Amino acid sequence: LASCFHFGIVVTAVSWGKVADAYGRKTVLISSLGMGCFFSILFGFAPSFGCALIIRFCLGMSMAIVGTLKTLVSDLANGNEQLEAKVMSMVLGMWAWGFLVAPLISGQLAEPVKQYRGIDWESHSGAKAFLERFPFLLPNVLGSMLCLVAIALTHFCIQEPLHDNEYRHPSRLMHDIITCLRQTTRNGRKQYESVSVTNIEGSPENEQLEEQNKSQEFEQSTDDSSGVERMSMVDLFSRPQTRSCLLIYWGNSFVTLAIDEMFPLFCISKKSGFGLAEAKIGQILSVSGLLFAFSQYFIHTIVYERYGLYGSIRTGALLVAPTFLFIPFSLLLNIPSNEGELSVVSFGYLCTILALNKAFLLVFFANISVAINRSAPAQFRASLNGLSVVGGSLAKGLGPTFAGFIVTFSVSLLREFGSLLMFGSLCLVALLVAAASFLYLHEESTTEAGNTIELTGKLNTETKRRTSHDHRE
């Protein structure tokens, strides 16, 4: 189910980014939340596992929330780097609270007939039969309700950061999709790169003339080979600084999922770990998550105020690596205990190390997200975040596979010392990512490149606007 969800994200992330750049951030955010509400309810009514897989894939395809929120943070910060970095850390840090609260609530709502046997279900035979047929409906209903609340907050509390002349009105989206399909069929092309971002607000007497020119404007916007508006994902990725930011971001995305998979396997292993039960591992993850949730903002603020944006990226990436090497030493602290047991000292030590690991990762991800946004002009931020989501999802898919292979190989080769090899390998990967952040991230060149392209984009947009106006006249 998780793989289908992430694969769905990979399929549509770039397209969502292009839509956000062309039709506004709020349009994509509200649309994604609305589809998430619909597919969540549908998932609760899934009659079979096969249907559940298809619905989860569709749910993943509809998810454009993370990339759009990152774009909104940079847009609304309006060049205030310190505010942008702090808000980005708060947005990403909310996932910690989500991972803590969501499983607790959904666990209480799932399979209510089995969990709450004290209820007189016989007197509510209709409800009992319904909930037995759809045992996971209630958590999905709650998720859908939260999506509706988020839609209302987005509509009333968030202002669209793009100006009227920088994006097309959302009502024109369906027309442009139909026009794109027609043009694709006519020209034999299968790639939709961009749409005109000119806001058309014609008077009633000019409406007919504008309708005749819509197709011509669309073709001009997609066929024009000059100007920033025509840049594709390949063009963005070919820029050295943007490419460096993305590759470093994807590298630590791989590391994040690898440690999330490797740590439970280490705890379960009787040869190279503690031989713990799943319940005990859950307690470690819960306490470490709670420590992380309360400390992440303060750690990020201290690091950022001391080292700045790019210094925080390098510091976060560099401090992540040693935390992996500290994990095996918890075995030494647990020597007096029997197999399958964990001493209080080892428990506290592991919770602290994991909390620090996630806090340093947050420092890295919050600031690298800002750097990615600042490496491109505003009209490409959403598309760029879509590209970062695609690569991040692919890297996260490879992380668990790598972790499983390394754990199996380490245990079979070194047995009781296998933890040194498994976490040492992950530490090496993290050090390579940190080295790349020192070697390939350059603050001045990144900022200058983004400003140059943004200036070019503004000049090109103004030229095209004047040309279109002269054509109508």
Side-chain angles (χ1 to χ4, degrees):
L1 288 174
S3 298
C4 284
F5 179 78
H6 285 290
F7 184 66
I9 293 176
V10 170
V11 170
T12 59
V14 172
S15 298
W16 275 121
K18 291 182 178 181
V19 173
D21 284 332
Y23 299 93
R25 319 312 193 198
K26 286 182 65 175
T27 301
V28 168
L29 198 55
I30 291 175
S31 299
S32 179
L33 288 167
M35 286 188 283
C37 174
F38 172 75
F39 285 118
S40 293
I41 290 289
L42 209 59
F43 184 73
F45 284 107
S48 65
F49 185 73
C51 290
L53 289 176
I54 296 174
I55 296 171
R56 286 290 289 179
F57 174 76
C58 294
L59 184 61
M61 291 180 65
S62 68
M63 283 296 102
I65 299 173
V66 177
T68 307
L69 284 178
K70 289 181 179 180
T71 305
L72 270 171
V73 168
S74 294
D75 289 341
L76 297 176
N78 198 25
N80 188 333
E81 181 183 297
Q82 185 175 6
L83 175 64
E84 185 178 356
K86 288 185 176 181
V87 176
M88 190 73 75
S89 71
M90 293 179 66
V91 169
L92 298 181
M94 288 299 104
W95 289 98
W97 292 105
F99 283 126
L100 282 174
V101 177
L104 177 64
I105 298 177
S106 61
Q108 298 297 319
L109 294 176
E111 298 182 304
V113 177
K114 291 184 179 180
Q115 286 200 78
Y116 304 105
R117 300 184 182 275
I119 298 178
D120 184 13
W121 291 106
E122 297 303 328
S123 61
H124 304 84
S125 57
K128 178 183 179 183
F130 182 78
L131 292 175
E132 283 182 334
R133 185 179 179 184
F134 305 110
F136 301 103
L137 175 62
L138 295 182
N140 287 280
V141 170
L142 177 61
S144 299
M145 293 173 63
L146 293 175
C147 286
L148 293 176
V149 172
I151 290 174
L153 291 174
T154 302
H155 179 73
F156 292 107
C157 301
I158 296 180
Q159 182 180 1
E160 174 60 53
L162 298 180
H163 299 293
D164 289 343
N165 62 342
E166 294 178 335
Y167 70 100
R168 290 174 71 83
H169 194 274
S171 62
R172 304 183 60 82
L173 178 58
M174 289 306 301
H175 169 269
D176 289 337
I177 292 175
I178 295 173
T179 305
C180 174
L181 293 175
R182 288 176 179 174
Q183 184 179 355
T184 301
T185 304
R186 182 169 60 250
N187 298 334
R189 296 183 304 183
K190 296 182 179 179
Q191 182 178 4
Y192 173 40
E193 293 186 352
S194 62
V195 297
S196 172
V197 295
T198 305
N199 188 33
I200 302 175
E201 296 180 348
S203 58
E205 59 271 14
N206 292 330
E207 186 174 350
Q208 184 176 1
L209 178 60
E210 291 178 354
E211 185 66 26
Q212 295 174 355
N213 290 333
K214 281 190 283 189
S215 179
Q216 183 176 355
E217 290 175 0
F218 180 86
E219 292 177 1
Q220 182 182 11
S221 66
T222 55
D223 292 338
D224 186 9
S225 60
S226 64
V228 68
E229 292 164 351
R230 178 63 166 71
M231 290 184 69
S232 65
M233 293 298 99
V234 176
D235 297 326
L236 287 173
F237 189 74
S238 63
R239 298 179 58 240
Q241 296 301 327
T242 301
R243 182 172 62 248
S244 298
C245 289
L246 288 174
L247 291 175
I248 293 170
Y249 173 86
W250 295 339
N252 257 349
S253 296
F254 173 86
V255 170
T256 302
L257 264 291
I259 185 60
D260 288 344
E261 182 73 15
M262 186 177 293
F263 180 76
L265 295 177
F266 159 72
C267 292
I268 291 173
S269 175
K270 295 182 179 180
K271 295 180 180 179
S272 299
F274 298 102
L276 299 178
E278 287 80 356
K280 195 65 176 180
I281 299 173
Q283 293 176 10
I284 298 173
L285 296 177
S286 298
V287 174
S288 63
L290 193 63
L291 292 174
F292 163 66
F294 278 108
S295 64
Q296 49 89 15
Y297 179 77
F298 301 102
I299 293 177
H300 175 271
T301 301
I302 292 172
V303 174
Y304 179 83
E305 290 181 351
R306 184 174 181 85
Y307 298 106
L309 179 65
Y310 285 83
S312 297
I313 296 173
R314 300 183 182 104
T315 302
L318 189 62
L319 291 178
V320 164
T323 59
F324 298 130
L325 291 180
F326 291 146
I327 293 177
F329 288 99
S330 60
L331 294 171
L332 298 177
L333 300 175
N334 201 55
I335 288 178
S337 302
N338 298 323
E339 181 180 303
E341 297 180 355
L342 193 65
S343 66
V344 176
V345 176
S346 294
F347 181 87
Y349 176 83
L350 285 173
C351 292
T352 303
I353 293 298
L354 290 180
L356 289 174
N357 174 267
K358 293 190 178 298
F360 295 146
L361 281 171
L362 178 76
V363 170
F364 170 84
F365 280 116
N367 290 283
I368 194 68
S369 297
V370 173
I372 290 173
N373 287 341
R374 294 172 70 86
S375 71
Q379 59 265 40
F380 292 114
R381 282 174 183 163
S383 299
L384 197 56
N385 275 297
L387 183 60
S388 71
V389 170
V390 170
S393 296
L394 292 174
K396 290 175 181 178
L398 294 174
T401 304
F402 170 81
F405 171 78
I406 289 296
V407 170
T408 303
F409 177 76
S410 301
V411 172
S412 62
L413 181 66
L414 299 179
R415 297 182 66 83
E416 62 269 18
F417 298 104
S419 60
L420 295 175
L421 179 59
M422 63 178 78
F423 288 107
S425 301
L426 198 56
C427 176
L428 179 61
V429 176
L431 286 175
L432 291 176
V433 174
S437 69
F438 279 90
L439 294 174
Y440 298 108
L441 286 185
H442 306 289
E443 180 175 0
E444 293 184 359
S445 57
T446 301
T447 306
E448 290 173 2
N451 291 338
T452 300
I453 289 186
E454 186 159 9
L455 178 61
T456 303
K458 291 179 180 179
L459 293 174
N460 185 71
T461 301
E462 182 63 27
T463 302
K464 293 185 71 176
R465 188 182 302 117
R466 291 177 181 175
T467 302
S468 178
H469 177 71
D470 295 339
H471 175 73
R472 290 198 185 97
E473 290 183 348

